[in-house]
Amino acid sequence: MDSPKSLKKALDGDAEILSICVFGASGDLAKKKVYPAIFALFYEGHLPEDFVVFGYARSDMTTETFVDKIRSSLPRRVSSKVDCSEYVEKFLAKCFYQAGQYDDPDDFKTLATAISEKEAGKSAMRIFYLSIPPSIFVPVAQNAARHVSSLSGETRVIVEKPFGRDLDSSRELTNALAEDLKESQTYRIDHYLGKELVENITVLRFSNIIFSPLWSRTHIRNVQITFSENFGTEGRGGYFDNYGIIRDVVQNHLLQVMALFAMEEPASLDAEDIRDEKVKVIKSIRPIDMANVVLGQYKKSGDETKPGYLDDETVPPGSRCATFAAMALFVDNARWDGVPFLIKAGKALHKREAEVRIQFHHAPGNLYKKQLGATSDMNSNELIIRIQPDEAIYLRLNSKIPGLGMRLDQTDLDLQYKAKFGAGELPDAYERLILDVVQGDKRLFIRNDELEAAWKLFTPVLNQIENDNINPELYPYGSRGPIGAHYLASRYNVRWGDTYN
């Protein structure tokens, strides 16, 4: 975190007070992500002086008990030299709790009364954060909109993914929310879009003229977007099994990164202009062929110290749920015709990593073929955007090894964010996105037609996987994933990018 700044009025519009209500306040997401993000905004001076934070959940507890529960999730120090305990207590003094059922309108009316008492007649912006299971999105959003909406200012609702399981369920959710909320009030949050390096993709593309002529099929031979975790479901298999890796990561996080990477330059930085271009890209993606899809499920590690997916007691016996997916996508437009976008995501792999890797065409001719060595990839330039961990951007170039002979090797021009900007300068994705909601900036949120286009792309292949009972290829916990992913890449004369240190 930065050092504390003087508090300033940050509200969008004429509101005098900001009221945030976190539904599902007793859950892990609220405790580990939402409340720490709101506190960080308070500490850094990005919230108005006058604000309150209400937690709402079914758990029967007092405000004092609730505050004690979330106190442990807030940082006491922001560095070895800066103690922020005073700010923690100031923040907690603005936090309140209201117990209630999610389907009882009277409980929501009681919540509205409690919030109004804290607002003391001031014009208020109210933000509702739905940190709840998708099965209760609709009743909570509708009850909140009908009975807790601000009568003197704007109301905005943040909805966490997943936004349905397929096209039909997504449409049902969208239509249900639209009964009581305008599209302008609905903020579909994909926390991946709030990550520093994801937001930097458009800056890298459109503010550096050196990349403009290179960003097309003429110079780029493939793009790899990878997401890997070095841990399994760890007791959350019951939830994960209902969605699988494609719904959990690929259809949302990685598709959004791909759209930002491949879109045309928007007319402006206005949210609607950016989202217009993203929708065009998604609609241009060729229907997914199962021949270009590899599914995997992790089993016990080779030394049997790590459990397999089916060893998770919360996973149904014999589940075919994929914990790994790799696929080749193609954007059928003039810029990207024929360029494979290789997407890979998986759990229980050998490392935790997320990156975008752009491999350029080989330098024409054979001038340095002998000096570059035997592998054909050696003379390919690469631009890598490391999203997590250890955020970085680096460009891989061929250069001469110092000495009397003519030997070539690859060198990285390296921008490591922690080294350049300091470890404390990268805000959490939730912090960025909640601030955007306060300020009414929707650039990093998903529009309804964007969601529709994404589900139209993935629903047919998801249906085929389930209808045909396709068995995933097993891979050991801690490995690089199923062998089929390497065969898929080799089909397009591509090798998955190597490790960057």
Side-chain angles (χ1 to χ4, degrees):
M1 294 179 188
D2 298 329
S3 57
K5 305 177 180 69
S6 59
L7 292 174
K8 58 181 181 292
K9 184 175 176 63
L11 285 176
D12 176 51
D14 299 324
E16 299 175 283
I17 184 172
L18 171 65
S19 299
I20 301 174
C21 185
V22 182
F23 292 96
S26 60
D28 280 348
L29 177 62
K31 180 180 178 181
K32 294 178 181 178
K33 291 293 185 181
V34 180
Y35 272 92
I38 299 172
F39 168 73
L41 293 174
F42 163 71
Y43 177 82
E44 293 164 5
H46 293 304
L47 294 183
E49 291 188 43
D50 213 351
F51 75 94
V52 291
V53 184
F54 268 81
Y56 184 94
R58 289 175 292 207
S59 302
D60 186 14
M61 68 179 103
T62 64
T63 289
E64 291 74 19
T65 302
F66 176 71
V67 165
D68 286 340
K69 286 173 68 73
I70 64 172
R71 180 182 277 109
S72 61
S73 67
L74 303 180
R76 310 305 297 188
R77 308 185 72 85
V78 295
S79 71
S80 59
K81 298 181 179 179
V82 180
D83 188 334
C84 64
S85 298
E86 177 185 352
Y87 287 87
V88 169
E89 297 310 315
K90 287 181 179 178
F91 174 75
L92 292 176
K94 293 177 175 286
C95 294
F96 305 91
Y97 181 78
Q98 183 72 40
Q101 298 300 311
Y102 290 132
D103 57 355
D104 188 341
D106 290 336
D107 286 346
F108 282 81
K109 292 175 184 177
T110 302
L111 171 65
T113 300
I115 296 176
S116 295
E117 289 177 357
K118 300 299 178 184
E119 292 171 346
K122 298 176 182 178
S123 62
M125 176 191 291
R126 292 184 181 177
I127 293 175
F128 305 144
Y129 197 118
L130 305 191
S131 177
I132 53 178
S135 58
I136 54 175
F137 277 169
V138 172
V140 172
Q142 289 182 337
N143 276 312
R146 293 168 185 172
H147 306 298
V148 197
S149 287
S150 175
L151 300 178
S152 57
E154 279 203 60
T155 298
R156 296 169 182 171
V157 179
I158 303 174
V159 184
E160 274 275 359
K161 77 168 187 72
F163 313 115
R165 295 188 76 255
D166 52 23
L167 182 59
D168 289 341
S169 59
S170 176
R171 283 174 173 170
E172 289 175 8
L173 175 61
T174 297
N175 293 336
L177 293 177
E179 290 181 15
D180 297 279
L181 296 166
K182 300 175 183 176
E183 177 63 21
S184 61
Q185 294 178 284
T186 307
Y187 289 74
R188 298 175 188 85
I189 190 170
D190 183 337
H191 73 272
Y192 227 65
L193 292 179
K195 290 187 176 293
E196 185 70 37
L197 270 293
V198 172
E199 191 170 9
N200 207 5
I201 289 174
T202 53
V203 177
L204 190 71
R205 282 194 60 189
F206 301 126
S207 70
N208 294 288
I209 196 170
I210 61 171
F211 292 122
S212 294
L214 303 179
W215 220 265
S216 73
R217 62 188 299 272
T218 306
H219 297 282
I220 294 177
R221 65 188 180 97
N222 72 82
V223 180
Q224 301 172 28
I225 303 174
T226 60
F227 174 96
S228 65
E229 293 177 330
N230 57 359
F231 53 88
T233 52
E234 297 181 346
R236 293 182 66 249
Y239 164 82
F240 183 85
D241 201 80
N242 192 41
Y243 292 95
I245 196 71
I246 294 179
R247 292 184 177 94
D248 193 49
V249 176
V250 179
Q251 182 270 344
N252 38 66
H253 299 337
L254 302 192
L255 183 66
Q256 287 292 316
V257 172
M258 178 178 170
L260 286 171
F261 178 92
M263 72 181 188
E264 297 298 318
E265 182 173 352
S268 73
L269 291 177
D270 180 77
E272 299 311 308
D273 288 336
I274 291 174
R275 296 194 292 182
D276 284 345
E277 297 303 329
K278 287 166 63 183
V279 171
K280 290 179 185 177
V281 171
I282 296 172
K283 287 183 175 180
S284 298
I285 298 175
R286 187 185 306 168
I288 302 171
D289 185 345
M290 273 304 300
N292 285 327
V293 178
V294 175
L295 303 175
Q297 185 186 95
Y298 69 89
K299 60 181 181 179
K300 285 184 179 180
S301 57
D303 59 7
E304 298 192 348
T305 60
K306 297 289 187 180
Y309 178 69
L310 296 180
D311 295 323
D312 186 333
E313 293 181 355
T314 63
V315 172
S319 171
R320 293 187 177 92
C321 179
T323 61
F324 175 99
M327 58 185 67
L329 303 182
F330 294 87
V331 181
D332 287 337
N333 63 19
R335 181 182 291 272
W336 298 112
D337 183 42
V339 177
F341 284 76
L342 294 171
I343 312 295
K344 182 171 68 171
K347 289 184 171 293
L349 297 173
H350 67 297
K351 60 182 175 181
R352 175 177 175 264
E353 179 184 84
E355 68 177 26
V356 181
R357 181 178 295 264
I358 303 103
Q359 292 186 338
F360 294 90
H361 289 296
H362 302 143
N366 295 316
L367 191 60
Y368 291 106
K369 184 176 181 180
K370 181 178 178 180
Q371 288 85 357
L372 281 165
T375 60
S376 61
D377 286 330
M378 280 294 289
N379 66 338
S380 290
N381 300 131
E382 292 183 333
L383 176 66
I384 296 94
I385 302 169
R386 170 66 65 83
I387 298 171
Q388 67 181 27
D390 303 324
E391 295 85 351
I393 299 173
Y394 60 102
L395 181 63
R396 185 156 290 173
L397 303 174
N398 299 311
S399 63
K400 179 182 177 298
I401 298 174
L404 298 177
M406 177 58 73
R407 292 185 301 135
L408 273 62
D409 199 359
Q410 291 196 309
T411 302
D412 294 331
L413 298 183
D414 194 347
L415 168 60
Q416 295 185 41
Y417 268 55
K418 287 184 179 179
K420 174 66 176 178
F421 301 112
E425 293 294 330
L426 298 183
D428 181 79
Y430 283 90
E431 183 182 339
R432 183 190 310 279
L433 293 169
I434 292 173
L435 179 61
D436 283 349
V437 177
V438 174
Q439 297 178 337
D441 186 347
K442 301 195 77 171
R443 287 178 301 160
L444 301 179
F445 296 86
I446 300 170
R447 202 167 61 189
N448 56 353
D449 59 337
E450 192 177 349
L451 182 62
E452 173 96 355
W455 278 121
K456 279 184 177 179
L457 176 65
F458 279 96
T459 295
V461 72
L462 288 168
N463 287 342
Q464 186 175 352
I465 291 169
E466 293 171 2
N467 293 338
D468 294 349
N469 291 322
I470 296 176
N471 287 312
E473 179 185 345
L474 298 180
Y475 63 95
Y477 192 122
S479 68
R480 294 177 177 271
I483 299 298
H486 299 283
Y487 286 122
L488 173 65
S490 66
R491 182 182 305 162
Y492 298 101
N493 196 28
V494 175
R495 185 177 63 180
W496 293 107
D498 60 358
T499 301
Y500 163 66
N501 295 312

